[in-house]
Amino acid sequence: MKTVTVWFFSLIAIFFSADKDCMTCNKQDSQYLCASNTLPINNRLCIDITEVPAHVYKDYLASLAAEFGRESDEFSQAEPNYGLWAQVFEGVSANALKEKFISTDELALMPIMGISFEQANNFAAWRTKTMEALLNEMGKNERAAFPKKFRFRLPSENEWARIRFLIQDKKMLKQLEKIAKSNESSFKLSKSDLMSSSQKIKPVYFEAAEDIGFYNVFGNVAEMTSTKGVAMGGSWQNPNSGKVFTQPFTYDGASAAVGLRMIFEIIE
């Protein structure tokens, strides 16, 4: 299985500092770095600027294959439902999509979908573990810029809806646009016939929300929350036509219309 550079540090790291009004901040009085691909909601929470792209989930599968083997239960239980993918790439079989996903980067910037709530939580635990390992390789001073304890997880409905308040200045919006173009170039998005031909699913950098800079907030795939069966944002299947940030959507199990956008939570 081909692997790619881990997502966390290939993008931008955002500074934020402690809020004196925060009741759970304890004695935190220094600046920390959020994980890459995230922007801060407050001094304890950061959230992904995009839906989680397929290439990051492929890294997850690659790590399981390396640790347990491609024929293991651990690997097979983590695989997406490729049959659901065929719903958004009409005329392409599940096996063909699996091969494209594993062996090429053609689906690298597709939002990961077709996974269950339980699979998403297992992925979040791996993402936490992987970032911990990367930070442990740093020197003491470099490591000190990041929180001591943290985790990736699914957002609550309220946390997800707070995206609407995260207005960015022009400099940050330009930086986010630069990140998008860089990743589209790195993964040769312009040469992906599958992504360009799909009438239902779009790349994770398809559309930036005005002023806040977050990508694909409405439509594309709805995004799981920490409440099983509840997603936010709407999707190609169930559009959020009014672009209402607080509107929840329900789903049942893995779906071709449901993906995820994760929280990076500062614990200590």
Side-chain angles (χ1 to χ4, degrees):
M1 178 181 293
K2 182 179 178 181
T3 60
V4 296
T5 303
V6 177
W7 196 34
F8 308 122
F9 297 101
S10 61
L11 302 181
I12 184 172
I14 307 297
F15 280 103
F16 67 101
S17 57
D19 183 344
K20 64 181 179 181
D21 296 322
C22 179
M23 299 301 293
T24 61
C25 294
N26 299 320
K27 296 181 180 180
Q28 179 183 327
D29 59 3
S30 61
Q31 289 182 325
Y32 284 125
L33 289 171
C34 284
S36 291
N37 202 66
T38 69
L39 287 172
I41 295 176
N42 57 32
N43 67 324
R44 283 287 171 177
L45 302 175
C46 308
I47 190 167
D48 284 326
I49 63 173
T50 68
E51 303 143 320
V52 172
H55 75 84
V56 186
Y57 202 84
K58 183 164 73 170
D59 281 349
Y60 168 49
L61 293 177
S63 73
L64 292 176
E67 184 174 359
F68 301 106
R70 287 281 299 275
E71 305 303 319
S72 66
D73 289 341
E74 288 83 358
F75 182 86
S76 61
Q77 289 170 5
E79 284 194 282
N81 184 331
Y82 299 107
L84 292 174
W85 290 17
Q87 294 179 12
V88 298
F89 298 106
E90 296 179 6
V92 186
S93 70
N95 286 336
L97 289 167
K98 178 179 179 177
E99 180 62 25
K100 287 282 188 182
F101 172 59
I102 291 175
S103 301
T104 77
D105 284 336
E106 190 162 351
L107 295 173
L109 294 182
M110 176 190 78
I112 190 64
M113 42 81 173
I115 64 172
S116 68
F117 179 79
E118 291 76 18
Q119 287 175 310
N121 283 310
N122 290 337
F123 166 73
W126 167 84
R127 195 174 169 190
T128 301
K129 181 180 177 181
T130 301
M131 185 167 176
E132 288 173 343
L134 289 170
L135 294 182
N136 288 338
E137 295 177 358
M138 293 180 174
K140 183 178 180 180
N141 291 338
E142 189 178 13
R143 174 64 181 85
F146 291 89
K148 295 176 183 178
K149 295 182 181 179
F150 54 84
R151 64 170 175 159
F152 287 93
R153 60 172 174 80
L154 294 172
S156 68
E157 295 167 55
N158 181 61
E159 288 167 346
W160 190 97
R162 290 175 71 180
I163 291 175
R164 69 189 186 276
F165 299 124
L166 306 183
I167 306 300
Q168 309 301 321
D169 60 29
K170 290 183 179 180
K171 182 178 180 180
M172 178 57 70
L173 291 173
K174 288 182 179 179
Q175 199 164 7
L176 295 175
E177 184 179 357
K178 182 178 179 181
I179 289 169
K181 290 180 178 179
S182 176
N183 280 276
E184 288 173 343
S185 176
S186 295
F187 288 105
K188 298 179 173 60
L189 178 63
S190 62
K191 296 183 179 180
S192 174
D193 293 335
L194 281 173
M195 292 305 300
S196 62
S197 64
S198 177
Q199 299 300 308
K200 296 176 179 178
I201 208 83
K202 301 300 179 184
V204 295
Y205 295 110
F206 179 68
E207 184 177 29
E210 187 176 359
D211 295 332
I212 62 175
F214 286 78
Y215 287 87
N216 297 347
V217 175
F218 301 111
N220 215 34
V221 292
E223 298 167 12
M224 294 183 197
T225 69
S226 54
T227 301
K228 186 176 182 179
V230 177
M232 303 294 283
S235 68
W236 60 266
Q237 191 173 66
N238 295 296
N240 187 338
S241 302
K243 296 187 176 181
V244 180
F245 283 91
T246 56
Q247 182 179 345
F249 294 81
T250 59
Y251 68 94
D252 184 16
S255 168
V258 178
L260 59 157
R261 183 189 305 262
M262 309 206 86
I263 285 283
F264 176 74
E265 180 182 9
I266 308 303
I267 299 172
E268 180 182 344

